[in-house]
Amino acid sequence: MENDIVIYTDGGCSGNPGPGGWGTVILADGKEIQKSGGEPFTTNNRMELTAVITALTYVSQTPELASRPVTVCTDSQYVKNGITSWIKNWKKNGWRTSDKKPVKNKELWVALDELAAVIAPQWRWVKGHAGVQHNETCDSLCAMEMQKFMQ
């Protein structure tokens, strides 16, 4: 347990699509590593996925973290359900949804699937805007990044 890595992520945008931001907090070895970024025109779901991909990429490319157990805490049902459930059928159906439409954000889902195959994180949904400390930090990072495009 003390060797585990816990990741919190959040993404959002103003309008949907619109200016977007994402934030992540990686907790490891008693340290809190914050990362954030954004795009001038994007969607909420793209930002949610980008936050998780960025955090897992960081873990996978950091030798002292790469082989340790990881838990991802996200307030996005889209991310959690997508990676733990929906993606199996998407891949089986040639990246089509149950109503035969192309999966949105396929390139991000492919990247996340590849990372998840290597890291095998546990996925945990947390309620957004409910006082969960590190989720609130991610939300603040998101808002800060969005503001950069709204000046």
Side-chain angles (χ1 to χ4, degrees):
M1 289 293 189
E2 66 187 43
N3 218 14
D4 290 10
I5 298 162
V6 179
I7 296 170
Y8 286 83
T9 66
D10 196 16
C13 67
S14 181
N16 196 18
W22 58 266
T24 186
V25 174
I26 303 163
L27 304 171
D29 302 326
K31 296 183 195 123
E32 182 177 309
I33 302 152
Q34 296 181 4
K35 297 195 165 296
S36 62
E39 296 178 19
F41 191 75
T42 189
T43 66
N44 182 63
N45 287 341
R46 289 187 69 80
M47 294 293 90
E48 294 279 7
L49 286 164
T50 300
V52 178
I53 290 165
T54 301
L56 291 177
T57 298
Y58 177 83
V59 168
S60 73
Q61 294 177 352
T62 305
E64 62 271 17
L65 304 179
S67 62
R68 292 166 49 186
V70 174
T71 299
V72 175
C73 303
T74 177
D75 63 5
S76 170
Q77 291 284 2
Y78 173 71
V79 169
K80 183 183 177 293
N81 292 336
I83 196 64
T84 62
S85 178
W86 306 335
I87 199 165
K88 293 171 188 80
N89 284 332
W90 292 340
K91 292 192 299 186
K92 187 172 74 177
N93 296 327
W95 290 97
R96 300 248 169 218
T97 64
S98 59
D99 59 358
K100 310 291 185 241
K101 293 181 180 164
V103 171
K104 291 181 180 173
N105 305 311
K106 176 187 170 188
E107 75 284 2
L108 296 175
W109 284 113
V110 168
L112 181 55
D113 188 43
E114 290 170 357
L115 285 162
V118 172
I119 296 173
Q122 297 294 308
W123 297 93
R124 198 174 102 208
W125 180 79
V126 295
K127 186 172 174 60
H129 310 287
V132 177
Q133 177 188 352
H134 300 297
N135 181 259
E136 296 290 342
T137 300
C138 290
D139 186 63
S140 295
L141 290 169
C142 249
M144 176 189 73
E145 293 293 343
M146 270 188 267
Q147 279 301 321
K148 292 178 182 177
F149 301 107
M150 299 168 67
Q151 306 282 332

